[in-house]
Amino acid sequence: MDRVFSFPRPRPRGLLGRRFEMDEQLVLLGGIAASIGLLAALPGIVLKLIGCLGTGGVCAWATLIPYKGRTFLKWFEIRRSYRRLLRDGRLLYESTAPLAGRRGDGTPVPVAQPVGIPPSMEWIRAKTAYGDIAVLLQPSEAMFVACIEVEGSKNFGGLDTADKEALVAAYEYLLKETAESGGRICYLQWLARLLPTDPNAHAHDAAARREAAAPSWLNDSYEHLVDMVAVYAEDRRLFLALGIPYTPELAAEALQYRTLHDGYGEVLGKEIEQFIRSLSAAQLRWVRNLDEAALASFIHHSYAPDHWLSDTRGMDRASCWPAEMDAREPTRMAARSWEGADPWYTSTAWIKQFPVLPVGINFLAPLLLYVSDVIMTVGITMRLLPTDRALEDAMADVTNEAGQADSTPGKTTDPREERELGASASTMHDLANGAVGVRLTGWVTVTAPDPNLLIQHRNTVRSAAVKSQLALEWCDSEQHRAFANTLPLVTGLLKD
């Protein structure tokens, strides 16, 4: 029997239960309190009714009624922040990298970062047996982040069910070992980068370089060689970002070295090296560490794909950001690289809900494999939880689902409530049987050289997401912040 996966529905976590978020509960409770106060303060029955129903109705509308895809309460903070950034001019960015100098030790001086990026990031070089790797310290997130490039099974879709099960079990083992081994890596972020390429680029280059005076047999031989070369129409790259939370114990261990900077590099390098050694157990092949130049090139390429991902010439912590960025348009973001004169347009969507029905192993194939001619990044950020804590949360979810179900005698039970209760119970039993506890969120970024083409690509990605049973929500008025969740920064997941 093929394995299936069940995703429980996302549950808001508030003070008084998990049906509403904290701010929604405060507005509803405030509306109830104001209605009661008006009932006591206003004279006359008519004024009492108008005041009570008006106050309660406005609070209920702001909290419960969808308005352009979201409730008014959710739009309020998004639009307030967007208008504030628009007034301050921070949505229009121009890099100062050409004017930045270097420190006494030769490292470039960090430049101001675009809006949406965690502020005051520090770059640290860590040493591993696999080469140097760049580590980003994000003070606002209390997180160290490093990134490696990996390669999975290229013919996963062609394997039989038993082999697929073995690969999934191997990956589960990696997650469980990382969560339960007592190591410092608590967050993982998968970044799948899809880049369409010109399948005839090699032939065009050969034709442009052809020497007219060359013998005909040599030209014929090379044309035959070009025909024999296998060319891929897409370049698919897979990256894995590792998140290590800052702790006083980690800082104390780093203080044992000559400087705190060197100590962080040594301590974090050992953690990353140990994780890389464990990749083989999950049937993943390590490709390379992203050092400062490679990580800077990846970040710069994400903003503007005309800078090739593997081109590390002149890339460092100062030049990693785009030359210019404009996030004033609510539905998209424009950025220009150092090499190009024309901007690239980017739009990011949040995976609002994963499949509500059981799905097979290949349920993401329509999005990850069948989308063509679209520049796209799919990011999945996961927080690994110890089994005890994950099981405790799962038991609370089952209790909450059972409590919310309407079991009034004589009333037909809502099948959706039965499904959600079954999914929660299945998660609880899986954890009890040894499954690893994971909290996850997903983001999809689409990039195009033209605004009209960007709209077409958004529709293509949305259609593919529907086939994968994913619900997307485009992050209008906060594209600058949402885009950062598909950079190797391990963001996008609420910390608690």
XYZ file of all heavy atoms in Angstrom, residues 145-240:
748
model
N 22.798 31.236 10.819
C 22.313 30.559 9.625
C 23.486 30.262 8.697
O 24.333 31.132 8.451
C 21.262 31.411 8.881
C 20.858 30.739 7.576
C 20.037 31.615 9.751
N 23.554 29.036 8.196
C 24.521 28.627 7.184
C 23.774 27.869 6.099
O 22.681 27.345 6.326
C 25.624 27.769 7.789
N 24.364 27.804 4.907
C 23.678 27.200 3.767
C 24.629 26.273 3.024
O 25.803 26.594 2.827
C 23.152 28.287 2.826
S 22.134 27.667 1.463
N 24.113 25.122 2.612
C 24.860 24.163 1.799
C 24.004 23.780 0.607
O 22.772 23.902 0.640
C 25.248 22.904 2.603
C 24.000 22.184 3.118
C 26.187 23.238 3.747
C 24.283 20.895 3.846
N 24.656 23.340 -0.445
C 23.945 22.825 -1.615
C 23.992 21.310 -1.579
O 25.055 20.722 -1.339
C 24.557 23.339 -2.915
C 23.771 22.913 -4.153
C 24.286 23.529 -5.436
O 25.245 24.323 -5.372
O 23.726 23.205 -6.504
N 22.850 20.689 -1.799
C 22.746 19.232 -1.746
C 22.097 18.742 -3.030
O 21.596 19.526 -3.838
C 21.944 18.762 -0.516
C 22.628 19.164 0.778
C 20.523 19.312 -0.559
N 22.114 17.445 -3.198
C 21.501 16.812 -4.364
C 20.802 15.549 -3.916
O 21.389 14.713 -3.229
C 22.568 16.490 -5.407
C 22.013 15.969 -6.718
C 23.101 15.699 -7.735
O 23.641 14.563 -7.730
O 23.437 16.607 -8.500
N 19.537 15.429 -4.280
C 18.773 14.251 -3.925
C 18.791 13.222 -5.048
O 19.587 13.292 -5.987
N 17.910 12.256 -4.942
C 17.796 11.228 -5.967
C 17.200 11.829 -7.234
O 16.107 12.399 -7.215
C 16.915 10.080 -5.465
O 16.744 9.107 -6.459
N 17.921 11.706 -8.360
C 17.468 12.328 -9.598
C 16.293 11.591 -10.230
O 15.527 12.181 -10.982
C 18.632 12.395 -10.592
C 19.731 13.353 -10.175
C 20.797 13.464 -11.247
C 21.866 14.476 -10.857
N 22.923 14.611 -11.885
N 16.158 10.309 -9.965
C 15.076 9.531 -10.573
C 14.083 9.060 -9.527
O 13.593 7.936 -9.570
C 15.653 8.335 -11.335
C 16.418 7.382 -10.419
O 16.882 7.793 -9.355
N 16.555 6.126 -10.816
N 13.786 9.933 -8.571
C 12.872 9.546 -7.489
C 11.508 9.140 -8.034
O 10.904 8.173 -7.572
C 12.726 10.707 -6.502
C 11.842 10.402 -5.331
C 12.336 9.721 -4.234
C 10.509 10.796 -5.324
C 11.521 9.440 -3.151
C 9.691 10.519 -4.248
C 10.202 9.838 -3.154
N 11.012 9.894 -9.034
C 9.695 9.575 -9.578
C 9.641 8.229 -10.269
O 8.576 7.629 -10.385
N 10.798 7.723 -10.740
C 10.804 6.445 -11.430
C 11.043 5.252 -10.540
O 11.045 4.113 -11.025
N 11.247 5.482 -9.242
C 11.482 4.368 -8.333
C 10.171 3.663 -8.002
O 9.083 4.249 -8.089
C 12.141 4.880 -7.051
C 13.509 5.562 -7.196
C 13.974 6.078 -5.841
C 14.538 4.623 -7.784
N 10.286 2.417 -7.582
C 9.084 1.717 -7.142
C 8.734 2.146 -5.724
O 9.473 2.876 -5.063
C 9.268 0.206 -7.229
C 10.464 -0.287 -6.419
O 10.883 0.425 -5.485
O 10.985 -1.379 -6.723
N 7.601 1.685 -5.254
C 7.078 2.160 -3.969
C 8.020 1.830 -2.814
O 8.238 2.669 -1.922
C 5.698 1.528 -3.709
O 4.817 1.862 -4.784
C 5.121 2.038 -2.400
N 8.598 0.654 -2.820
C 9.477 0.259 -1.713
C 10.704 1.160 -1.630
O 11.112 1.574 -0.532
C 9.900 -1.200 -1.882
N 11.288 1.500 -2.775
C 12.471 2.370 -2.767
C 12.109 3.786 -2.330
O 12.875 4.442 -1.621
C 13.107 2.396 -4.155
C 13.745 1.067 -4.522
O 14.093 0.308 -3.588
O 13.881 0.779 -5.726
N 10.939 4.261 -2.764
C 10.499 5.578 -2.310
C 10.301 5.593 -0.795
O 10.699 6.546 -0.099
C 9.196 5.970 -3.005
C 9.340 6.293 -4.482
C 7.989 6.671 -5.064
C 8.106 6.983 -6.541
N 6.795 7.340 -7.135
N 9.690 4.536 -0.278
C 9.485 4.441 1.168
C 10.826 4.445 1.904
O 10.977 5.056 2.963
C 8.703 3.175 1.492
C 7.263 3.169 1.017
C 6.381 4.082 1.841
O 6.817 4.493 2.933
O 5.276 4.398 1.393
N 11.813 3.757 1.343
C 13.122 3.702 1.989
C 13.771 5.076 2.027
O 14.380 5.466 3.048
C 14.022 2.708 1.249
N 13.644 5.855 0.935
C 14.225 7.191 0.918
C 13.524 8.115 1.903
O 14.167 8.905 2.600
C 14.149 7.764 -0.500
C 15.101 7.166 -1.526
C 14.845 7.767 -2.900
C 16.546 7.383 -1.123
N 12.199 8.037 1.971
C 11.456 8.867 2.919
C 11.818 8.485 4.353
O 12.001 9.347 5.222
C 9.945 8.744 2.673
C 9.163 9.467 3.760
C 9.580 9.312 1.308
N 11.939 7.190 4.622
C 12.327 6.748 5.967
C 13.728 7.222 6.320
O 14.003 7.590 7.469
C 12.243 5.222 6.049
N 14.632 7.238 5.338
C 15.986 7.725 5.593
C 15.974 9.210 5.937
O 16.699 9.662 6.838
C 16.870 7.464 4.380
N 15.138 9.987 5.243
C 15.043 11.410 5.555
C 14.409 11.627 6.931
O 14.825 12.510 7.687
C 14.234 12.122 4.472
C 14.041 13.590 4.743
C 15.130 14.449 4.808
C 12.771 14.116 4.947
C 14.957 15.798 5.064
C 12.595 15.460 5.204
C 13.685 16.295 5.263
O 13.517 17.625 5.522
N 13.407 10.834 7.257
C 12.814 10.924 8.599
C 13.863 10.634 9.672
O 13.879 11.277 10.730
C 11.652 9.937 8.720
C 10.406 10.348 7.969
C 9.280 9.344 8.134
O 9.566 8.189 8.501
O 8.125 9.718 7.909
N 14.731 9.689 9.390
C 15.788 9.357 10.351
C 16.715 10.561 10.555
O 17.132 10.847 11.683
C 16.575 8.150 9.857
C 17.754 7.783 10.734
C 17.568 7.094 11.931
C 19.043 8.142 10.367
C 18.650 6.769 12.735
C 20.132 7.820 11.161
C 19.925 7.137 12.343
O 20.996 6.825 13.136
N 17.036 11.265 9.460
C 17.875 12.460 9.585
C 17.215 13.513 10.458
O 17.857 14.103 11.343
C 18.165 13.023 8.191
C 18.886 14.378 8.162
C 20.293 14.258 8.723
C 18.911 14.944 6.743
N 15.927 13.759 10.228
C 15.220 14.751 11.037
C 15.182 14.346 12.506
O 15.400 15.174 13.409
C 13.800 14.940 10.505
C 13.649 15.539 9.108
C 12.183 15.691 8.761
C 14.354 16.879 9.012
N 14.895 13.078 12.755
C 14.788 12.618 14.140
C 16.141 12.688 14.842
O 16.225 13.108 16.006
C 14.241 11.193 14.169
C 13.885 10.711 15.582
C 13.158 9.407 15.545
C 12.746 8.976 16.953
N 11.810 9.929 17.556
N 17.207 12.282 14.155
C 18.527 12.352 14.759
C 18.923 13.792 15.054
O 19.514 14.093 16.089
C 19.561 11.705 13.826
C 19.533 10.191 13.845
C 19.929 9.645 15.217
O 21.014 9.983 15.709
O 19.119 8.906 15.802
N 18.593 14.702 14.149
C 18.920 16.110 14.358
C 18.140 16.688 15.529
O 18.670 17.492 16.313
C 18.625 16.913 13.080
O 19.329 16.329 11.982
C 19.074 18.350 13.229
N 16.873 16.280 15.667
C 16.038 16.829 16.742
C 16.355 16.210 18.094
O 16.304 16.895 19.127
C 14.557 16.606 16.406
N 16.712 14.925 18.122
C 16.851 14.221 19.392
C 18.296 14.050 19.848
O 18.532 13.603 20.963
C 16.216 12.825 19.276
C 14.741 12.827 18.908
C 13.852 13.274 20.058
O 14.379 13.476 21.178
O 12.638 13.437 19.841
N 19.268 14.380 19.001
C 20.667 14.093 19.349
C 21.257 15.090 20.325
O 22.403 14.916 20.759
C 21.510 14.064 18.071
O 21.509 15.339 17.445
N 20.532 16.139 20.647
C 21.077 17.140 21.554
C 21.955 18.165 20.870
O 22.614 18.966 21.538
N 21.970 18.167 19.520
C 22.741 19.152 18.786
C 22.077 20.513 18.810
O 20.982 20.704 19.347
N 22.742 21.472 18.179
C 22.257 22.856 18.231
C 21.408 23.230 17.033
O 20.799 24.292 17.012
C 23.449 23.808 18.334
C 24.214 23.708 19.650
C 25.208 24.837 19.779
N 25.772 24.906 21.114
C 26.933 24.388 21.471
N 27.661 23.731 20.561
N 27.384 24.505 22.695
N 21.368 22.408 16.004
C 20.580 22.732 14.808
C 19.107 22.443 15.096
O 18.712 21.297 15.304
C 21.065 21.927 13.592
C 22.520 22.291 13.265
C 20.175 22.190 12.386
C 23.108 21.484 12.132
N 18.294 23.495 15.115
C 16.866 23.353 15.425
C 15.967 23.733 14.250
O 14.768 23.457 14.306
C 16.503 24.221 16.631
S 17.341 23.748 18.157
N 16.532 24.369 13.234
C 15.726 24.811 12.092
C 16.388 24.342 10.800
O 17.617 24.372 10.671
C 15.593 26.337 12.064
C 14.790 26.914 13.198
C 15.395 27.224 14.413
C 13.424 27.149 13.069
C 14.666 27.755 15.459
C 12.691 27.677 14.111
C 13.315 27.977 15.302
O 12.587 28.495 16.342
N 15.563 23.919 9.850
C 16.007 23.552 8.513
C 15.138 24.285 7.498
O 13.926 24.419 7.696
C 15.906 22.046 8.267
C 16.765 21.120 9.130
C 16.478 19.664 8.770
C 18.239 21.414 8.957
N 15.773 24.748 6.435
C 15.027 25.419 5.370
C 15.464 24.840 4.027
O 16.643 24.902 3.666
C 15.275 26.929 5.381
C 14.520 27.686 4.293
C 14.936 29.144 4.193
O 16.021 29.514 4.607
N 14.055 29.971 3.649
N 14.500 24.254 3.308
C 14.763 23.722 1.973
C 14.433 24.797 0.954
O 13.366 25.405 1.002
C 13.919 22.482 1.719
C 14.360 21.282 2.487
C 13.862 20.832 3.669
C 15.413 20.381 2.137
N 14.533 19.705 4.074
C 15.488 19.399 3.151
C 16.288 20.300 1.057
C 16.407 18.361 3.117
C 17.205 19.267 1.021
C 17.253 18.306 2.038
N 15.355 25.025 0.021
C 15.146 25.989 -1.053
C 15.351 25.277 -2.389
O 16.470 24.850 -2.705
C 16.127 27.161 -0.928
C 15.940 28.071 0.288
C 17.103 29.040 0.409
C 14.628 28.836 0.203
N 14.275 25.116 -3.137
C 14.344 24.517 -4.470
C 14.285 25.638 -5.492
O 13.294 26.376 -5.582
C 13.184 23.541 -4.681
N 15.358 25.801 -6.259
C 15.484 26.887 -7.226
C 15.345 26.334 -8.638
O 16.082 25.427 -9.036
C 16.843 27.565 -7.053
C 17.097 28.767 -7.967
C 16.267 29.946 -7.561
N 16.658 31.152 -8.293
C 15.917 32.241 -8.368
N 14.746 32.304 -7.750
N 16.335 33.293 -9.038
N 14.380 26.854 -9.376
C 14.105 26.413 -10.747
C 14.433 27.549 -11.704
O 13.898 28.655 -11.581
C 12.640 26.001 -10.915
C 12.154 25.727 -12.334
C 12.910 24.554 -12.937
C 10.662 25.461 -12.363
N 15.330 27.279 -12.657
C 15.751 28.283 -13.629
C 15.612 27.710 -15.035
O 16.267 26.709 -15.361
C 17.213 28.690 -13.403
C 17.533 29.384 -12.091
C 19.015 29.415 -11.871
C 16.991 30.788 -12.108
N 14.767 28.281 -15.876
C 14.713 27.810 -17.263
C 15.970 28.242 -18.014
O 16.490 29.350 -17.816
C 13.461 28.493 -17.824
C 13.223 29.662 -16.944
C 13.780 29.322 -15.592
N 16.495 27.364 -18.841
C 17.686 27.661 -19.627
C 17.379 27.461 -21.102
O 16.381 26.827 -21.464
C 18.860 26.745 -19.229
O 18.472 25.371 -19.411
C 19.235 26.956 -17.766
N 18.240 27.996 -21.951
C 18.068 27.870 -23.395
C 18.678 26.554 -23.857
O 19.906 26.374 -23.798
C 18.758 29.040 -24.090
C 18.552 29.001 -25.608
O 17.775 28.143 -26.072
O 19.170 29.828 -26.300
N 17.878 25.587 -24.320
C 18.448 24.304 -24.735
C 19.321 24.409 -25.988
O 20.090 23.509 -26.272
C 17.208 23.432 -24.993
C 16.120 24.405 -25.276
C 16.414 25.619 -24.458
N 19.195 25.532 -26.712
C 19.990 25.707 -27.931
C 21.181 26.645 -27.722
O 21.809 27.067 -28.693
C 19.109 26.250 -29.062
C 17.961 25.309 -29.398
O 18.169 24.100 -29.511
N 16.766 25.861 -29.557
N 21.452 26.983 -26.459
C 22.529 27.937 -26.202
C 23.873 27.394 -26.657
O 24.703 28.129 -27.211
C 22.559 28.273 -24.709
N 24.115 26.104 -26.445
C 25.394 25.518 -26.856
C 25.554 25.563 -28.370
O 26.623 25.914 -28.901
C 25.479 24.076 -26.348
C 26.851 23.483 -26.485
N 27.128 22.183 -26.172
C 28.020 24.016 -26.915
C 28.410 21.931 -26.394
N 28.966 23.033 -26.842
N 24.490 25.245 -29.098
C 24.551 25.262 -30.558
C 24.765 26.674 -31.080
O 25.538 26.900 -32.033
C 23.266 24.669 -31.137
N 24.098 27.667 -30.469
C 24.278 29.053 -30.901
C 25.711 29.515 -30.644
O 26.312 30.213 -31.487
C 23.294 29.961 -30.158
C 21.864 29.686 -30.504
N 20.807 30.089 -29.706
C 21.303 29.053 -31.562
C 19.671 29.709 -30.255
N 19.953 29.072 -31.388
N 26.257 29.149 -29.482
C 27.621 29.540 -29.168
C 28.612 28.884 -30.126
O 29.582 29.519 -30.580
C 27.941 29.154 -27.727
C 29.320 29.630 -27.296
O 29.518 30.850 -27.195
O 30.201 28.776 -27.075
N 28.369 27.618 -30.455
C 29.260 26.928 -31.398
C 29.201 27.569 -32.777
O 30.232 27.721 -33.454
C 28.883 25.451 -31.473
N 27.995 27.992 -33.199
C 27.871 28.635 -34.508
C 28.572 29.985 -34.526
O 29.188 30.375 -35.527
C 26.396 28.786 -34.864
N 28.484 30.734 -33.406
C 29.131 32.044 -33.352
C 30.651 31.933 -33.339
O 31.355 32.815 -33.841
C 28.645 32.798 -32.106
N 31.169 30.854 -32.760
C 32.616 30.693 -32.657
C 33.214 29.910 -33.831
O 34.429 29.699 -33.860
C 32.959 29.972 -31.348
C 32.606 30.755 -30.098
C 32.834 29.914 -28.853
N 32.515 30.655 -27.648
C 33.393 31.382 -26.955
N 34.641 31.464 -27.373
N 33.043 32.021 -25.864
N 32.400 29.473 -34.759
C 32.898 28.624 -35.845
C 33.896 29.408 -36.711
O 33.661 30.564 -37.074
C 31.732 28.121 -36.680
C 32.147 27.228 -37.853
C 30.925 26.551 -38.452
N 30.287 25.673 -37.471
C 29.080 25.138 -37.635
N 28.381 25.407 -38.723
N 28.563 24.361 -36.710
N 34.970 28.754 -37.044
C 36.013 29.338 -37.884
C 35.738 28.963 -39.337
O 35.652 27.785 -39.698
C 37.385 28.810 -37.452
C 38.549 29.383 -38.243
C 38.688 30.886 -38.061
O 38.540 31.364 -36.914
O 38.918 31.570 -39.068
N 35.614 29.996 -40.172
C 35.271 29.744 -41.574
C 36.366 28.976 -42.307
O 36.086 28.218 -43.249
C 35.000 31.071 -42.285
N 37.609 29.172 -41.882
C 38.725 28.520 -42.577
C 38.972 27.096 -42.107
O 39.877 26.429 -42.620
C 39.999 29.356 -42.387
N 38.202 26.616 -41.139
C 38.420 25.264 -40.615
C 38.005 24.228 -41.655
O 37.086 24.459 -42.454
C 37.627 25.070 -39.322
N 38.641 23.075 -41.660
C 38.276 22.022 -42.627
C 36.824 21.572 -42.425
O 36.289 21.602 -41.322
C 39.264 20.895 -42.302
C 40.380 21.554 -41.580
C 39.792 22.707 -40.836
N 36.216 21.148 -43.500
C 34.813 20.740 -43.439
C 34.617 19.523 -42.555
O 33.603 19.407 -41.858
C 34.295 20.450 -44.853
O 35.063 19.417 -45.459
N 35.590 18.597 -42.570
C 35.449 17.402 -41.733
C 35.440 17.764 -40.247
O 34.762 17.117 -39.448
C 36.569 16.398 -42.039
C 37.949 16.895 -41.673
C 38.820 17.535 -42.485
C 38.573 16.786 -40.394
N 39.974 17.859 -41.821
C 39.850 17.393 -40.515
C 38.206 16.255 -39.152
C 40.742 17.473 -39.458
C 39.092 16.338 -38.107
C 40.346 16.944 -38.249
N 36.168 18.856 -39.885
C 36.187 19.274 -38.482
C 34.849 19.893 -38.087
O 34.319 19.617 -37.002
C 37.328 20.271 -38.261
C 37.530 20.759 -36.826
C 37.817 19.579 -35.908
C 38.672 21.765 -36.759
N 34.292 20.718 -38.979
C 32.972 21.291 -38.701
C 31.910 20.206 -38.596
O 31.040 20.239 -37.718
C 32.592 22.294 -39.788
C 33.374 23.598 -39.678
O 33.739 24.008 -38.583
N 33.630 24.244 -40.822
N 31.950 19.234 -39.518
C 30.971 18.144 -39.477
C 31.116 17.325 -38.197
O 30.117 16.911 -37.586
C 31.144 17.243 -40.699
C 30.813 17.965 -41.994
O 30.112 18.989 -41.926
O 31.279 17.498 -43.059
N 32.354 17.098 -37.790
C 32.581 16.331 -36.563
C 32.038 17.065 -35.348
O 31.413 16.458 -34.464
C 34.079 16.050 -36.405
O 34.339 15.404 -35.169
N 32.237 18.393 -35.312
C 31.761 19.145 -34.143
C 30.241 19.239 -34.138
O 29.609 19.201 -33.072
C 32.377 20.544 -34.132
C 32.235 21.212 -32.792
C 33.049 20.862 -31.717
C 31.248 22.168 -32.576
C 32.903 21.447 -30.489
C 31.094 22.768 -31.348
C 31.924 22.405 -30.307
O 31.769 22.995 -29.076
N 29.629 19.379 -35.322
C 28.166 19.398 -35.373
C 27.596 18.072 -34.868
O 26.574 18.048 -34.170
C 27.708 19.663 -36.807
C 27.921 21.094 -37.264
C 27.445 21.303 -38.677
O 26.999 20.304 -39.303
O 27.516 22.442 -39.176
N 28.248 16.972 -35.234
C 27.806 15.666 -34.734
C 27.959 15.592 -33.211
O 27.093 15.043 -32.512
C 28.615 14.559 -35.408
C 28.236 13.175 -34.947
N 27.014 12.598 -35.246
C 28.913 12.260 -34.186
C 26.942 11.395 -34.711
N 28.087 11.165 -34.060
N 29.043 16.175 -32.690
C 29.252 16.175 -31.239
C 28.194 16.995 -30.530
O 27.675 16.595 -29.474
C 30.647 16.712 -30.929
C 31.020 16.824 -29.446
C 30.999 15.450 -28.800
C 32.385 17.474 -29.290
N 27.830 18.155 -31.096
C 26.792 18.998 -30.498
C 25.468 18.258 -30.466
O 24.702 18.337 -29.490
C 26.674 20.334 -31.262
C 25.443 21.110 -30.800
C 27.916 21.175 -31.064
N 25.156 17.514 -31.517
C 23.911 16.754 -31.547
C 23.891 15.644 -30.501
O 22.817 15.250 -30.020
C 23.704 16.142 -32.936
C 23.446 17.200 -33.991
O 23.016 18.311 -33.612
O 23.700 16.922 -35.180
N 25.066 15.156 -30.139
C 25.139 14.067 -29.168
C 25.069 14.553 -27.727
O 24.826 13.772 -26.816
C 26.445 13.291 -29.367
C 26.548 12.579 -30.717
S 25.403 11.193 -30.859
C 26.121 10.052 -29.689
N 25.273 15.868 -27.511
C 25.298 16.403 -26.155
C 23.877 16.493 -25.604
O 22.971 17.018 -26.264
C 25.979 17.786 -26.124
C 25.847 18.412 -24.742
C 27.446 17.655 -26.498
N 23.677 15.979 -24.403
C 22.368 16.070 -23.745
C 22.239 17.435 -23.083
O 23.115 17.861 -22.338
C 22.217 14.959 -22.707
N 21.167 18.145 -23.364
C 20.961 19.494 -22.852
C 19.671 19.517 -22.033
O 18.630 19.037 -22.478
C 20.875 20.522 -24.007
C 20.634 21.914 -23.451
C 22.141 20.489 -24.838
N 19.754 20.077 -20.834
C 18.585 20.210 -19.981
C 17.946 21.579 -20.217
O 18.641 22.588 -20.361
C 18.970 20.069 -18.506
C 19.393 18.679 -18.119
C 20.750 18.335 -18.075
C 18.457 17.703 -17.805
C 21.144 17.062 -17.717
C 18.849 16.421 -17.451
C 20.188 16.113 -17.411
O 20.583 14.844 -17.070
N 16.628 21.612 -20.256
C 15.913 22.866 -20.461
C 15.736 23.628 -19.161
O 15.385 24.800 -19.187
C 14.552 22.607 -21.104
N 15.920 22.983 -18.029
C 15.813 23.652 -16.736
C 17.024 23.319 -15.879
O 17.567 22.219 -15.967
C 14.543 23.241 -15.972
C 13.244 23.748 -16.587
C 12.663 22.775 -17.570
O 13.055 21.591 -17.541
O 11.831 23.187 -18.390
N 17.403 24.294 -15.101
C 18.463 24.094 -14.116
C 17.797 24.073 -12.747
O 17.244 25.087 -12.304
C 19.496 25.214 -14.211
C 20.643 25.005 -13.229
O 20.803 23.870 -12.741
O 21.376 25.974 -12.947
N 17.823 22.939 -12.103
C 17.175 22.776 -10.797
C 18.257 22.600 -9.731
O 19.084 21.700 -9.834
C 16.220 21.578 -10.806
C 15.126 21.688 -11.844
C 14.225 20.456 -11.868
N 13.252 20.546 -12.939
C 12.048 21.123 -12.818
N 11.704 21.622 -11.649
N 11.222 21.173 -13.831
N 18.219 23.465 -8.741
C 19.220 23.438 -7.681
C 18.493 23.306 -6.354
O 17.398 23.858 -6.144
C 20.059 24.723 -7.697
C 20.629 25.074 -9.059
C 21.779 24.203 -9.454
N 22.991 24.604 -8.745
C 23.838 25.525 -9.213
N 23.604 26.123 -10.376
N 24.919 25.826 -8.539
N 19.102 22.594 -5.439
C 18.507 22.339 -4.130
C 19.487 22.789 -3.050
O 20.644 22.357 -3.031
C 18.185 20.858 -3.970
C 17.454 20.436 -2.698
C 16.096 21.117 -2.596
C 17.284 18.921 -2.650
N 19.016 23.656 -2.161
C 19.844 24.194 -1.085
C 19.185 23.876 0.257
O 17.959 23.777 0.367
C 20.009 25.705 -1.230
C 20.725 26.117 -2.486
C 20.017 26.354 -3.657
C 22.099 26.250 -2.518
C 20.664 26.723 -4.823
C 22.764 26.618 -3.678
C 22.043 26.854 -4.828
N 20.016 23.762 1.267
C 19.555 23.455 2.619
C 20.208 24.444 3.573
O 21.437 24.469 3.721
C 19.914 22.020 3.002
C 19.498 21.539 4.384
C 17.988 21.691 4.575
C 19.906 20.084 4.586
